[in-house]
Amino acid sequence: MQEDESDITGATPRRRPKPDVLEIGGRKLKPATLMMGHGYDAALSEGALKPPIFLTSTFVFENAAAGKRHFEGVTGKRPGGSEGLVYSRFNGPNQEILEDRLSVWEDAEEALTFSSGMSAIATLLLTFVQPGDVIVHSGPLYAATETLIGRILGKFGVRWLDFPAGATREEIESVLAEAKGMGRVPLIYLESPANPTNVLVDVEAVAAARDSLFGDERPPIAIDNTFLGPLWSKPLEHGADLSIYSLTKYAGGHSDLVAGGVVGAKALITPIRMMRNTIGTITDPNTAWMLLRSLETLELRMTRAGENAAKVCEFLRQHPKVESVGYLGFLKDSRQADIYRRHCTGAGSTFSLYLTGGETEAFAFLDALKIAKLAVSLGGTETLASAPAAMTHLSVPDARKQALGITDNLVRISIGVEDPDDLIADFDQALGAV
Ligand SMILES: *Cc1c(COP(=O)(O)O)cnc(C)c1O
């Protein structure tokens, strides 16, 4: 197998014999409908209603000429991409179907899936950055992303500048201008809402600032859309070029897998695909199959979780033992509320609960919970609760913790799809035990 040739290229999805039904009578079908069949032709799999799991490391060519043709497609010698599958580090049927379906939610041209959210982010960064570059990002970011940009890419001479998640267009533009003066800006990297502050990034303002500063060499805007995507926030509509997911969270939705995704325009996805082909960060067929199952209920799950969170937060905000609730449904700041109106269609189901007291009270509350599980992560069918100051953000220096509102009385909660009144009863008794 001439692996080294395809190592440096992007195999694009194979052609499928039977095109999907994407609209009826001019009515474009909604993602919730397309999740049941899009990208899969049962005739290619013995009529199986559901796609089988393709456990194979490589794919047989019909004949030598076809093999050559596939490699011409894979290496870009022939436009239009590869007509067939080649090798499972590049792609496979389960992953291709998953990628077709994932791109539907943001109406993106293409999608790629990865072995984890972090491997998606790492592959994306490796694609675009080179020594001397200055990445501009919103802050704070998911801790591992900050480590990757600051400490790991830093070893290779990549630098960064950040602006606070809630920054105005003027503030963003001045940070971008400063970065431009320091070196090449390969990428603008955002995360919204920021964790655990819940501050939203104004993606439209970032795009406007970028467009006014950079002429023809506009750095792409990538955004981690894990917390609100793909249901409540579609950043490609607001000027982002690439939307990134930890599919481990809401998309997977059952806390039983780890995976990542990137969606966007083909021109940007192709180089990321080449990098993924080279380093092998693609998701595996089993996980891809599980994600196909998960996407069928994505809208149901996220809708229910969002409704549950609204009820639970309403209860929590008026409880005497609660200092405040950091939930996107309760935005006080008018600028944040404006971003929310422009960018979001729902407040999500992950929020910050500040108890009156400190670590003792937070721990007593967590230990008393009977339905909610004490675990980090979010976006699953079950409700989870954790204490960031003592867990996910334990190693963050005190001054920075203070600046980010990561106080000892903070409890992070991700609401699941249980009965909302049962959840309220659980939070009520746990607060009573504090
Ligand atoms: C969990 C998470 C990640 C990392 O995803 P993994 O699937 O754990 O690698 C990245 N960004 C955000 C916002 C996350 O919540």
Side-chain angles (χ1 to χ4, degrees):
M1 146 120 243
Q2 301 165 321
E3 255 190 72
D4 36 355
E5 237 189 293
S6 38
D7 268 345
I8 51 156
T9 61
T12 48
R14 82 209 138 102
R15 295 217 176 97
R16 296 185 195 83
K18 183 169 150 280
D20 277 322
V21 177
L22 296 173
E23 56 160 52
I24 292 179
R27 183 194 156 77
K28 197 174 162 199
L29 299 180
K30 295 280 166 40
T33 306
L34 292 175
M35 288 310 105
M36 289 4 140
H38 180 53
Y40 174 62
D41 182 351
L44 293 173
S45 294
E46 309 278 359
L49 175 71
K50 291 296 184 202
I53 302 176
F54 288 86
L55 293 176
T56 183
S57 60
T58 192
F59 297 86
V60 177
F61 304 136
E62 309 88 277
N63 50 49
K68 183 179 180 189
R69 211 167 57 242
H70 293 346
F71 268 91
E72 283 172 350
V74 160
T75 54
K77 282 190 180 142
R78 245 159 35 84
S82 180
E83 289 173 21
L85 291 163
V86 171
Y87 183 65
S88 292
R89 198 179 73 237
F90 309 150
N91 223 323
N94 297 105
Q95 295 94 326
E96 284 195 348
I97 298 164
L98 173 62
E99 288 163 2
D100 283 356
R101 291 190 194 170
L102 190 62
S103 60
V104 161
W105 291 92
E106 289 207 51
D107 218 356
E109 262 185 306
E110 287 195 0
L112 295 171
T113 57
F114 296 86
S115 55
S116 70
M118 283 317 301
S119 74
I121 295 166
T123 307
L124 167 98
L125 291 171
L126 282 177
T127 304
F128 292 104
V129 304
Q130 56 192 47
D133 282 354
V134 185
I135 296 171
V136 175
H137 70 80
S138 64
L141 298 176
Y142 185 72
T145 310
E146 286 197 356
T147 302
L148 183 57
I149 292 175
R151 285 204 242 145
I152 300 178
L153 292 179
K155 286 196 298 190
F156 302 98
V158 176
R159 297 164 295 163
W160 58 271
L161 278 186
D162 68 349
F163 55 84
T168 62
R169 162 150 180 199
E170 292 67 37
E171 290 163 342
I172 296 163
E173 199 161 324
S174 91
V175 172
L176 279 173
E178 188 187 343
K180 204 176 164 210
M182 288 165 63
R184 192 183 80 112
V185 178
L187 184 74
I188 300 170
Y189 187 93
L190 314 175
E191 187 175 314
S192 180
N195 174 20
T197 55
N198 274 319
V199 178
L200 295 166
V201 176
D202 189 340
V203 181
E204 284 172 321
V206 173
R210 186 243 351 230
D211 293 353
S212 80
L213 270 179
F214 296 86
D216 292 340
E217 313 227 320
R218 295 186 298 176
I221 298 169
I223 179 167
D224 186 329
N225 196 31
T226 299
F227 272 75
L228 292 177
L231 196 64
W232 300 304
S233 165
K234 302 180 192 292
L236 299 186
E237 287 177 3
H238 303 111
D241 301 294
L242 294 162
S243 185
I244 304 161
Y245 290 90
S246 168
L247 299 174
T248 311
K249 314 295 167 54
Y250 287 97
H254 296 73
S255 307
D256 56 6
L257 61 85
V258 173
V262 176
V263 307
K266 186 181 168 105
L268 289 170
I269 291 289
T270 297
I272 305 171
R273 186 193 300 278
M274 290 177 192
M275 180 59 74
R276 188 186 69 172
N277 284 355
T278 303
I279 66 179
T281 43
I282 191 169
T283 188
D284 68 277
N286 281 295
T287 304
W289 189 95
M290 304 242 290
L291 279 161
L292 288 174
R293 162 168 288 202
S294 292
L295 289 183
E296 294 184 5
T297 56
L298 181 126
E299 190 168 300
L300 277 177
R301 287 184 286 103
M302 290 184 79
T303 301
R304 169 64 174 251
E307 289 166 3
N308 280 358
K311 288 177 188 162
V312 167
C313 288
E314 206 51 63
F315 163 79
L316 290 172
R317 85 194 297 199
Q318 47 208 351
H319 196 284
K321 288 184 180 165
V322 170
E323 192 179 277
S324 65
V325 180
Y327 166 62
L328 287 175
F330 299 157
L331 290 175
K332 282 183 230 110
D333 177 272
S334 67
R335 201 183 126 62
Q336 281 288 303
D338 174 53
I339 300 172
Y340 180 80
R341 267 192 305 276
R342 285 185 282 121
H343 289 4
C344 310
T345 56
S349 82
T350 302
F351 59 90
S352 298
L353 171 65
Y354 291 91
L355 297 171
T356 34
E359 188 183 83
T360 311
E361 286 74 15
F363 279 18
F365 172 76
L366 288 170
D367 289 340
L369 289 168
K370 291 181 174 158
I371 297 173
K373 303 286 189 295
L374 177 48
V376 299
S377 198
L378 60 125
T381 47
E382 64 287 297
T383 295
L384 300 181
S386 65
M391 297 166 192
T392 48
H393 293 71
L394 182 64
S395 57
V396 174
D398 283 345
R400 186 154 158 78
K401 265 194 213 167
Q402 219 51 46
L404 296 178
I406 305 170
T407 44
D408 291 338
N409 63 334
L410 164 64
V411 173
R412 266 303 257 188
I413 296 177
S414 166
I415 296 289
V417 301
E418 302 94 337
D419 180 88
D421 296 326
D422 287 350
L423 289 175
I424 289 171
D426 191 26
F427 289 128
D428 196 20
Q429 66 81 23
L431 285 167
V434 173

